[in-house]
Amino acid sequence: MTDTQRSSPEAAAAWLLQRLAAMEAMQLTVNSGVDLMEWSDLGPAAVQAVEPLQPEPEPSLPSEALVVCDREMLREGFYDAETGANGRSFRWIGPEPRAAVFLPRVAQPAEIRLLVHSAFCPEVLGDVRVALDGGARATVTLEQGPEGRVLVAQPPPAEVPRGGAMRLDIDVVRTDSPLNRGQSDPRMLGIALRRIEARSV
């Protein structure tokens, strides 16, 4: 501001209003999510030059993920891993009929496939339900694959995916104990799974 501008109250007031307007414009620009490239001297002819922020590209997600039901599996609601006669690991869901598994996130929508090792209550296999990241539940379809029975479903993806892993919730309806059938195992068992797969569709 020049000495001449200072000597005139009207000019000083006009310059101050322009300065406040420029500062307000700067604040609005910052709040709107753009980068400030250059601001000229905040005088009567303040000039703003901005460049819109470019959204960062989202990392591409894999189309398949596989989790083996062994002792390394990240899970809730499963018993310890066991090994079958064929040397393959499996885990029983229990004692509650609800369990959860954490899978690497894949591109959505995705098909979930549960490879069944055994079912203590086989009559409920067609009623098993699954959900991804707390989303809506989907009832499975029971299929017969080359390795045995497979439960297949396409649960809708959650509205807001969280983190780099997917939480797969599994509801097997009910569990029961072999003790109730004259056997010695006191555990409450649902179904035993060998492998869980997620495939983009």
Side-chain angles (χ1 to χ4, degrees):
M1 188 172 182
T2 65
D3 292 337
T4 302
Q5 288 174 318
R6 290 192 184 93
S7 64
S8 169
E10 292 80 4
W15 179 85
L16 181 59
L17 288 175
Q18 290 173 336
R19 180 182 178 90
L20 291 174
M23 294 178 66
E24 183 178 3
M26 178 187 292
Q27 184 63 44
L28 290 174
T29 300
V30 172
N31 292 341
S32 67
V34 295
D35 281 335
L36 293 177
M37 293 177 59
E38 178 184 354
W39 281 83
S40 68
D41 180 30
L42 292 179
V47 177
Q48 172 191 8
V50 299
E51 178 178 310
L53 286 175
Q54 297 298 322
E56 294 185 4
E58 295 185 1
S60 58
L61 294 172
S63 59
E64 294 185 3
L66 182 150
V67 170
V68 177
C69 299
D70 56 14
R71 62 184 58 186
E72 304 298 328
M73 182 178 75
L74 297 176
R75 82 291 171 198
E76 297 173 2
F78 284 81
Y79 286 106
D80 290 341
E82 303 175 49
T83 303
N86 56 7
R88 295 178 177 175
S89 297
F90 64 91
R91 282 181 180 268
W92 283 101
I93 291 177
E96 300 298 324
R98 291 169 296 279
V101 180
F102 296 91
L103 306 169
R105 189 170 299 281
V106 300
Q108 296 294 320
E111 178 183 82
I112 302 298
R113 302 178 65 85
L114 311 177
L115 181 58
V116 178
H117 172 79
S118 184
F120 194 70
C121 303
E123 64 275 10
V124 303
L125 282 176
D127 297 323
V128 172
R129 296 181 297 170
V130 297
L132 284 175
D133 291 326
R137 296 185 178 187
T139 302
V140 302
T141 299
L142 177 60
E143 299 181 359
Q144 186 67 35
E147 298 184 68
R149 292 171 293 185
V150 183
L151 305 181
V152 183
Q154 292 187 27
E159 293 184 3
V160 183
R162 296 178 292 244
M166 302 186 299
R167 177 188 172 100
L168 175 67
D169 289 293
I170 307 171
D171 186 348
V172 300
V173 184
R174 65 185 178 89
T175 57
D176 199 358
S177 174
L179 283 177
N180 298 330
R181 304 184 186 183
Q183 302 176 31
S184 59
D185 191 342
R187 297 179 297 174
M188 297 291 291
L189 305 177
I191 65 174
L193 300 177
R194 290 212 321 256
R195 189 171 69 238
I196 300 171
E197 302 173 357
R199 300 176 181 175
S200 300
V201 294

